[in-house]
Amino acid sequence: MNHIVTVQDAVTAFADFLEPTDAELDAIEQEMPVILADVDLLDAQITTLDRAPSEVDDRRIRRARRRALAARVVQINQTAAANLPGGAA
């Protein structure tokens, strides 16, 4: 007779190694404005999938697209400033 055992011990044995590191969490935190802006853009685009976009929908998508691009510009500038010697931008 073969016994069926759970794999919980095998899974939880490596649980500490599966957690994100502090550096990874910091990187996610720095990217969060870009992520949220992309979510807003996707939300604006999704609302128009099942119908023809109205003028208000078009404006909402354009504003969301500008916010997403602006968030990316800020992130790129921060990354570039951090990589320059002396921290000067």
Side-chain angles (χ1 to χ4, degrees), residues 40-61:
D40 288 342
L41 176 58
L42 284 171
D43 186 43
Q45 292 170 335
I46 287 169
T47 59
T48 62
L49 285 178
D50 61 344
R51 59 185 166 87
S54 67
E55 188 176 329
V56 174
D57 292 329
D58 288 337
R59 277 189 251 147
R60 182 178 177 213
I61 291 171

Side-chain angles (χ1 to χ4, degrees), residues 29 33 47 57 68 70 77 84-85:
E29 188 67 32
T47 59
D57 292 329
N77 288 338
L84 288 176

Side-chain angles (χ1 to χ4, degrees), residues 4-5 7 11 13 16 24-27 33-34 36-37 40 42 51 55 57 59-60 69 78 85-87 89:
I4 299 173
V5 295
V7 293
V11 172
D16 293 337
E24 291 170 334
L25 291 174
D26 289 340
V34 174
L36 294 176
D40 288 342
L42 284 171
R51 59 185 166 87
E55 188 176 329
D57 292 329
R59 277 189 251 147
R60 182 178 177 213
L69 290 173
Q78 288 174 348

Side-chain angles (χ1 to χ4, degrees), residues 1-12:
M1 177 175 185
N2 293 334
H3 296 284
I4 299 173
V5 295
T6 62
V7 293
Q8 183 172 357
D9 292 335
V11 172
T12 56

Side-chain angles (χ1 to χ4, degrees), residues 22-35:
D22 289 338
E24 291 170 334
L25 291 174
D26 289 340
I28 292 169
E29 188 67 32
Q30 289 177 352
E31 292 178 17
M32 193 54 67
V34 174
I35 294 168

